Amino acid sequence: MTWAKEVLRKQLWAVADFCGVQILTHAILANHFHVLLKVPQKTLPPDTELLRRYQLLHPKPTKYQTERLEVIKAQLDTGGPEADAWRTRSWP
């Protein structure tokens, strides 16, 4: 597999994990790809899962992303409209 296809494959799996879906199979071709997903029933993930998913998208976080994660943690800990917005995003 070429380097670009391997990068795409890793990104597909990371995004699937972030979204809470399961990749059943995939095919990466020269100019497009196919992905068959299993989407679970819609549920609100616990706060720990929300934070884990945020960190999945930023495995090598910048200073801003690290600070943003701390803000998100604080919002989830204290509740309020910001926490509710994080909890009710379009999670699968």
Side-chain angles (χ1 to χ4, degrees), residues 46-74:
D47 291 352
T48 54
E49 179 64 8
L50 295 177
L51 296 170
R52 185 190 73 81
R53 290 180 184 185
Y54 180 88
Q55 290 173 309
L56 277 174
L57 292 185
H58 308 291
K60 296 178 183 176
T62 64
K63 182 179 177 184
Y64 169 79
Q65 292 161 341
T66 301
E67 290 174 4
R68 179 72 180 132
L69 181 59
E70 292 305 314
V71 169
I72 294 166
K73 285 180 185 177

Side-chain angles (χ1 to χ4, degrees), residues 1-68:
M1 190 176 285
T2 67
W3 175 83
K5 287 182 180 180
E6 180 63 16
V7 169
L8 176 59
R9 185 191 66 77
K10 287 181 180 181
Q11 289 177 338
L12 284 173
W13 286 93
V15 170
D17 193 13
F18 173 80
C19 294
V21 299
Q22 180 184 2
I23 295 178
L24 300 176
T25 189
H26 70 285
I28 301 174
L29 303 153
N31 62 352
H32 68 285
F33 61 92
H34 300 268
V35 181
L36 180 62
L37 302 173
K38 180 178 179 181
V39 180
Q41 289 288 91
K42 185 173 183 169
T43 59
L44 293 179
D47 291 352
T48 54
E49 179 64 8
L50 295 177
L51 296 170
R52 185 190 73 81
R53 290 180 184 185
Y54 180 88
Q55 290 173 309
L56 277 174
L57 292 185
H58 308 291
K60 296 178 183 176
T62 64
K63 182 179 177 184
Y64 169 79
Q65 292 161 341
T66 301
E67 290 174 4
R68 179 72 180 132

